[in-house]
Amino acid sequence: MKNFLVKTIANAAALAVAVWLLDKITLTGGSTGEKTLTLIVVALVFGLVNMLVKPIVQVLTFPLFILTLGLFTLVVNALMLLLTSWLADKLDLSFHVDGFWTAVLGGLIVSVVSWALNAFLPDKD
Protein backbone atom coordinates (compact mmCIF):
# COMPACT_ATOMS: atom_id res chain seq x y z
CA MET A 1 0.00 0.00 0.00
CA LYS A 2 2.83 2.35 0.86
CA ASN A 3 4.47 1.69 -2.51
CA PHE A 4 1.21 2.53 -4.31
CA LEU A 5 0.92 5.80 -2.41
CA VAL A 6 4.53 6.74 -3.14
CA LYS A 7 4.13 5.99 -6.85
CA THR A 8 0.90 8.01 -7.01
CA ILE A 9 2.55 11.01 -5.37
CA ALA A 10 5.51 10.68 -7.77
CA ASN A 11 3.09 10.63 -10.73
CA ALA A 12 1.28 13.68 -9.34
CA ALA A 13 4.60 15.52 -8.99
CA ALA A 14 5.59 14.55 -12.54
CA LEU A 15 2.25 15.78 -13.88
CA ALA A 16 2.71 19.02 -11.90
CA VAL A 17 6.10 19.56 -13.57
CA ALA A 18 4.50 19.02 -16.99
CA VAL A 19 1.72 21.51 -16.14
CA TRP A 20 4.32 24.00 -14.96
CA LEU A 21 6.58 23.65 -18.03
CA LEU A 22 4.00 23.44 -20.82
CA ASP A 23 1.36 26.10 -21.43
CA LYS A 24 -0.95 23.73 -23.30
CA ILE A 25 -1.26 21.31 -20.39
CA THR A 26 -3.62 23.08 -18.05
CA LEU A 27 -4.80 22.56 -14.53
CA THR A 28 -7.47 25.02 -13.53
CA GLY A 29 -9.11 25.39 -10.21
CA GLY A 30 -9.50 27.62 -7.23
CA SER A 31 -7.10 27.15 -4.38
CA THR A 32 -3.80 25.33 -4.20
CA GLY A 33 -5.47 22.59 -2.18
CA GLU A 34 -8.05 21.98 -4.91
CA LYS A 35 -5.31 21.84 -7.54
CA THR A 36 -3.30 19.40 -5.42
CA LEU A 37 -6.31 17.14 -4.93
CA THR A 38 -7.05 17.30 -8.66
CA LEU A 39 -3.45 16.37 -9.46
CA ILE A 40 -3.62 13.38 -7.12
CA VAL A 41 -6.87 12.14 -8.68
CA VAL A 42 -5.44 12.67 -12.20
CA ALA A 43 -2.31 10.77 -11.11
CA LEU A 44 -4.54 7.89 -10.00
CA VAL A 45 -6.32 7.93 -13.38
CA PHE A 46 -2.97 8.12 -15.17
CA GLY A 47 -1.68 5.18 -13.15
CA LEU A 48 -4.77 3.11 -13.98
CA VAL A 49 -4.47 3.97 -17.68
CA ASN A 50 -0.80 2.96 -17.64
CA MET A 51 -1.60 -0.24 -15.78
CA LEU A 52 -4.62 -1.36 -17.83
CA VAL A 53 -4.42 0.15 -21.31
CA LYS A 54 -0.72 0.69 -21.99
CA PRO A 55 0.30 -3.01 -22.00
CA ILE A 56 -2.44 -3.81 -24.51
CA VAL A 57 -1.36 -0.96 -26.78
CA GLN A 58 2.28 -2.02 -26.48
CA VAL A 59 1.48 -5.59 -27.50
CA LEU A 60 -0.63 -4.44 -30.46
CA THR A 61 2.06 -2.03 -31.67
CA PHE A 62 5.06 -4.25 -30.99
CA PRO A 63 6.20 -4.26 -34.66
CA LEU A 64 6.34 -0.44 -34.55
CA PHE A 65 8.50 -0.59 -31.43
CA ILE A 66 10.92 -2.87 -33.26
CA LEU A 67 10.83 -0.80 -36.46
CA THR A 68 11.51 2.49 -34.66
CA LEU A 69 13.99 1.01 -32.18
CA GLY A 70 11.77 1.98 -29.26
CA LEU A 71 11.00 5.55 -30.26
CA PHE A 72 7.35 4.62 -30.70
CA THR A 73 7.26 4.62 -26.89
CA LEU A 74 6.96 8.41 -27.09
CA VAL A 75 3.78 8.05 -29.16
CA VAL A 76 2.31 5.49 -26.76
CA ASN A 77 3.10 7.73 -23.76
CA ALA A 78 1.46 10.65 -25.56
CA LEU A 79 -1.65 8.57 -26.25
CA MET A 80 -1.83 7.55 -22.58
CA LEU A 81 -1.59 11.21 -21.54
CA LEU A 82 -4.32 12.16 -24.03
CA LEU A 83 -6.51 9.32 -22.76
CA THR A 84 -5.95 10.55 -19.20
CA SER A 85 -6.97 14.06 -20.29
CA TRP A 86 -10.12 12.70 -21.93
CA LEU A 87 -11.01 10.65 -18.83
CA ALA A 88 -10.34 13.66 -16.61
CA ASP A 89 -12.80 15.64 -18.72
CA LYS A 90 -15.42 12.88 -18.33
CA LEU A 91 -14.80 12.82 -14.56
CA ASP A 92 -15.15 16.62 -14.45
CA LEU A 93 -11.54 17.17 -13.39
CA SER A 94 -9.86 20.40 -14.44
CA PHE A 95 -6.91 18.80 -16.27
CA HIS A 96 -6.50 19.16 -20.04
CA VAL A 97 -3.84 18.38 -22.63
CA ASP A 98 -4.23 20.41 -25.81
CA GLY A 99 -2.95 18.55 -28.85
CA PHE A 100 -0.88 15.54 -29.81
CA TRP A 101 2.54 17.22 -29.91
CA THR A 102 1.96 18.76 -26.51
CA ALA A 103 1.10 15.26 -25.27
CA VAL A 104 4.34 13.89 -26.77
CA LEU A 105 6.41 16.51 -24.95
CA GLY A 106 4.31 16.14 -21.79
CA GLY A 107 4.67 12.36 -21.88
CA LEU A 108 8.43 12.76 -22.19
CA ILE A 109 8.53 15.15 -19.23
CA VAL A 110 6.29 12.93 -17.09
CA SER A 111 8.39 9.86 -17.93
CA VAL A 112 11.70 11.53 -17.07
CA VAL A 113 10.45 13.12 -13.84
CA SER A 114 8.71 9.91 -12.71
CA TRP A 115 11.82 7.89 -13.43
CA ALA A 116 14.00 10.35 -11.48
CA LEU A 117 11.62 10.46 -8.50
CA ASN A 118 11.15 6.70 -8.39
CA ALA A 119 14.93 6.24 -8.46
CA PHE A 120 15.20 8.10 -5.15
CA LEU A 121 11.99 7.04 -3.46
CA PRO A 122 11.66 3.81 -1.47
CA ASP A 123 10.45 0.80 -3.43
CA LYS A 124 9.39 -1.55 -0.63
CA ASP A 125 5.81 -2.17 0.55
Side-chain angles (χ1 to χ4, degrees):
M1 182 67 178
K2 184 176 155 184
N3 189 28
F4 173 75
L5 184 62
V6 168
K7 299 247 186 234
T8 300
I9 291 171
N11 272 341
L15 288 167
V17 170
V19 167
W20 180 60
L21 289 175
L22 300 174
D23 291 336
K24 291 187 176 184
I25 297 180
T26 56
L27 177 69
T28 56
S31 67
T32 304
E34 288 176 8
K35 287 181 181 180
T36 303
L37 183 61
T38 300
L39 268 176
I40 291 171
V41 174
V42 169
L44 286 170
V45 171
F46 187 64
L48 284 173
V49 165
N50 280 330
M51 185 178 73
L52 299 174
V53 178
K54 190 174 183 178
I56 296 168
V57 172
Q58 286 177 329
V59 167
L60 293 175
T61 60
F62 186 70
L64 292 172
F65 279 97
I66 299 295
L67 187 65
T68 63
L69 302 175
L71 288 176
F72 196 72
T73 304
L74 294 173
V75 174
V76 171
N77 287 343
L79 293 175
M80 296 305 107
L81 195 57
L82 285 172
L83 180 59
T84 301
S85 175
W86 179 78
L87 287 171
D89 183 46
K90 296 299 178 192
L91 294 172
D92 201 29
L93 298 170
S94 58
F95 177 80
H96 181 70
V97 178
D98 187 25
F100 176 75
W101 293 109
T102 302
V104 169
L105 193 53
L108 182 61
I109 291 169
V110 168
S111 296
V112 168
V113 172
S114 289
W115 171 80
L117 287 175
N118 285 320
F120 294 106
L121 294 173
D123 197 26
K124 296 180 182 174
D125 273 334

